[in-house]
């Protein structure tokens, strides 16, 4: 499964400007592209909402060889409830640590050369205080599971990942499609997984020809398919095909055809400008304040 590749994790964000500050100024990521949509996504990329929303891709480099974040912002929603499903994203960058200290962004030292911080909305990020590598600084994404053995079977036997490390003391399994990619770590929560309303989605690419077979395997094994093979349009850009799955704990997993996605995910040099323009034109906070109302809490 070397042709399968970890792409991004989807975060729902309520405070878009503060979130942009975290990713750009604290972590030091770049805006790779920004897109605005007038109605909800056919594959529920923005969650179960059908109104106006935006998608901002941020990362240390192009998605071709970096694991990035997809920030989805629903215009009428101000906050989301966290669960115990997303347990953290780990990246290596002493620059991010010094940025956080300089900007007064809260940091907690949780190990040797390891700090815990939070993105707006409460999403945990672990910063390894070592020089940022020339390759992708993002090391792993950690998800909580209720049955480590069952989940490991699903991710390895059905999706084709290989186990890289099994830590019985910490109740974790580290896996990936290859050693050079961002890894997936599963952590046994010793109980049910709560996705709250902030639940995200992890995305991978594979050759387009593998998508029908992947869907067929899930049907045969009686596993959940949230969105059968579907085409998604982005105005003025490539149309991609995706299958959305759910693992035994309901973690959403997107597989996208690599060929079209490589075109869609090309870095837009105007991404930064488009995000800033959208934020400047977003008067929703002022509207709610003027009418003495609060944005919806999902």
């Amino acid at each position: 499964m070397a042709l399968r590749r970890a792409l991004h994790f989807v975060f729902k964000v309520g405070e878009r400007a503060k979130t942009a500050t975290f990713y750009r100024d604290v972590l030091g990521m770049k805006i790779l592209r920004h897109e605005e949509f007038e109605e909800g996504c056919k594959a529920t990329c923005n969650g179960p909402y059908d109104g106006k929303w935006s998608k901002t891709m941020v990362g240390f480099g192009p998605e071709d060889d970096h694991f990035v974040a997809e920030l989805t912002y629903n215009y009428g929603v101000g906050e989301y409830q966290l669960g115990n499903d997303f347990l953290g994203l780990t990246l290596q960058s002493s620059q991010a640590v010094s940025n956080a200290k300089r900007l007064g962004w809260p940091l907690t030292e949780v190990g040797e050369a390891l700090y815990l911080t939070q993105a707006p909305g409460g999403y945990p990020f672990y910063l390894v205080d070592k020089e940022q590598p020339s390759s992708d600084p993002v090391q792993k994404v950690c998800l909580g599971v209720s049955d480590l053995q069952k989940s490991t079977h699903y991710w390895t036997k059905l999706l084709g990942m290989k186990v890289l490390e099994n830590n019985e003391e910490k109740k974790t399994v580290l896996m990936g499609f290859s050693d050079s990619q961002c890894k997936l770590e599963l952590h046994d929560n010793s109980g049910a997984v709560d996705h709250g309303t902030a639940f995200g989605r992890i995305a991978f690419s594979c050759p387009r020809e593998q998508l029908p077979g992947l869907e067929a395997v899930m049907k045969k094994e009686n596993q959940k398919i949230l969105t059968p093979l579907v085409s998604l349009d982005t105005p003025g850009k490539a149309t991609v095909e995706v299958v959305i799955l759910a693992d035994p704990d309901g973690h959403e997993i997107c597989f996208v055809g690599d060929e079209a996605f490589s075109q869609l995910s090309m870095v837009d040099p105007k991404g930064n400008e488009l995000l800033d323009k959208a934020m400047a034109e977003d008067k929703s906070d002022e509207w709610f304040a003027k009418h003495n109302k609060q944005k919806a809490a999902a």
Side-chain angles (χ1 to χ4, degrees), residues 13-25:
V13 304
E15 299 176 284
R16 190 163 54 170
K18 196 173 177 185
T19 297
T21 297
F22 175 74
Y23 284 93
R24 287 195 287 205
D25 302 340

Side-chain angles (χ1 to χ4, degrees), residues 252-296:
E252 295 193 2
I253 308 156
C254 172
F255 274 90
V256 57
D258 197 29
E259 299 84 350
F261 185 77
S262 292
Q263 298 175 43
L264 175 68
S265 63
M266 288 175 67
V267 175
D268 182 354
K270 292 184 177 177
N272 218 39
E273 181 187 327
L274 290 171
L275 172 61
D276 287 338
K277 181 174 181 284
M279 291 193 297
E281 292 175 353
D282 180 3
K283 305 300 181 188
S284 56
D285 286 338
E286 290 93 323
W287 187 91
F288 279 94
K290 182 181 175 183
H291 292 82
N292 203 24
K293 294 181 178 180
Q294 288 188 321
K295 281 190 177 182

